[in-house]
Amino acid sequence: KLIWRLRNECGISADRLEWHGHNDFHKVHINGSTAWLYGVNALNGTLFGLGERCGNPPLEGAIIEYIALKGSLSGIDLTVITELAEYYDVVINSRIAPNYPFVGKDFNTTRAGIHAGGLRKFEQIYNIFDTTALLNRPPRVSITDKSGTDGIALWVNDFLQLKGDDRLSVMKVAKIQRWVMDQYEIDGRMSSITDEELEEQ
């Protein structure tokens, strides 16, 4: 209502209005989007939601919201989000939570065999958008006793960069799957199998 009054009753143009919010109630994106819809030209954001109290709108999330509102990329190169995360990690030496949207190490990683099966057969079943094309972040699988042969096949095919008919079937990775299950059933393992261990297998 305030934005409408500023625009329509006070005659303030959109280019002179911006929104600054915090994420105290998990409403930072909905409030920012609403401000845009009501005529605010810009919103304040910070990389990865850093800021006072519960943080400001994550810039990368705000960009995705903006694209959703516009219905197109509007010339935005989303791979920069991945580059910013790498800079944050390597140069600033600060860690982003593994499950953080868009940039966390595990944001598009599954451990479930049923999800890996979907990824292996038809990526759109599991992956909500083309993370490879848009963020330069292909979907990944982390191997546990719940990954099944689908998860192993996906990991191996991605690791070996096999495409099309060259991709290995679940039957071709059965021995690795047996080794993985032995880690949990015989050795009592609790953690995920590392990429290095899988590479050795």
Side-chain angles (χ1 to χ4, degrees):
K1 209 167 186 181
L2 175 62
I3 296 170
W4 188 91
R5 285 188 165 179
L6 287 169
R7 294 283 315 276
N8 296 283
E9 292 179 6
C10 300
I12 298 175
S13 60
D15 64 338
R16 298 187 65 200
L17 294 173
E18 66 181 58
W19 179 81
H20 179 92
H22 292 266
N23 202 25
D24 297 51
F25 297 99
H26 283 294
K27 294 186 182 278
V28 74
H29 284 306
I30 192 65
N31 287 339
S33 294
T34 301
W36 267 329
L37 288 171
Y38 276 87
V40 167
N41 189 57
L43 64 86
N44 300 156
T46 59
L47 284 178
F48 316 120
L50 298 174
E52 189 181 28
R53 297 197 314 260
C54 297
N56 300 109
L59 178 63
E60 67 285 355
I63 289 169
I64 298 294
E65 290 288 330
Y66 181 82
I67 288 168
L69 288 173
K70 290 291 189 178
S72 74
L73 289 173
S74 303
I76 298 169
D77 178 4
L78 292 176
T79 62
V80 172
I81 292 172
T82 303
E83 292 172 18
L84 287 168
E86 291 166 357
Y87 180 87
Y88 190 81
D89 180 44
V90 174
V91 177
I92 298 175
N93 197 29
S94 190
R95 299 293 170 254
I96 296 170
N99 64 341
Y100 193 86
F102 308 127
V103 295
K105 180 176 70 74
D106 294 335
F107 111 89
N108 63 344
T109 300
T110 185
R111 288 168 181 78
I114 192 166
H115 293 158
L119 274 172
R120 195 175 62 78
K121 293 171 186 141
F122 187 66
E123 184 178 321
Q124 291 86 336
I125 291 172
Y126 174 74
N127 209 15
I128 193 167
F129 63 95
D130 190 343
T131 58
T132 303
L134 294 174
L135 294 170
N136 196 24
R137 293 281 309 269
R140 295 192 68 234
V141 61
S142 179
I143 303 301
T144 70
D145 57 333
K146 308 293 186 289
S147 302
T149 50
D150 275 313
I152 305 279
L154 182 66
W155 190 95
V156 170
N157 286 322
D158 287 348
F159 177 77
L160 296 175
Q161 298 180 353
L162 300 176
K163 307 288 183 203
D165 292 340
D166 292 332
R167 292 176 75 79
L168 300 179
S169 69
V170 292
M171 298 302 291
K172 296 281 187 179
V173 297
K175 286 176 78 173
I176 298 175
Q177 166 65 4
R178 184 66 261 158
W179 177 85
V180 167
M181 293 310 294
D182 287 348
Q183 303 307 299
Y184 296 93
E185 293 171 358
I186 296 172
D187 298 339
R189 185 177 185 138
M190 301 295 287
S191 60
S192 297
I193 306 292
T194 67
D195 289 350
E196 291 75 21
E197 290 173 297
L198 285 166
E199 182 179 353
E200 185 178 331
Q201 293 302 311

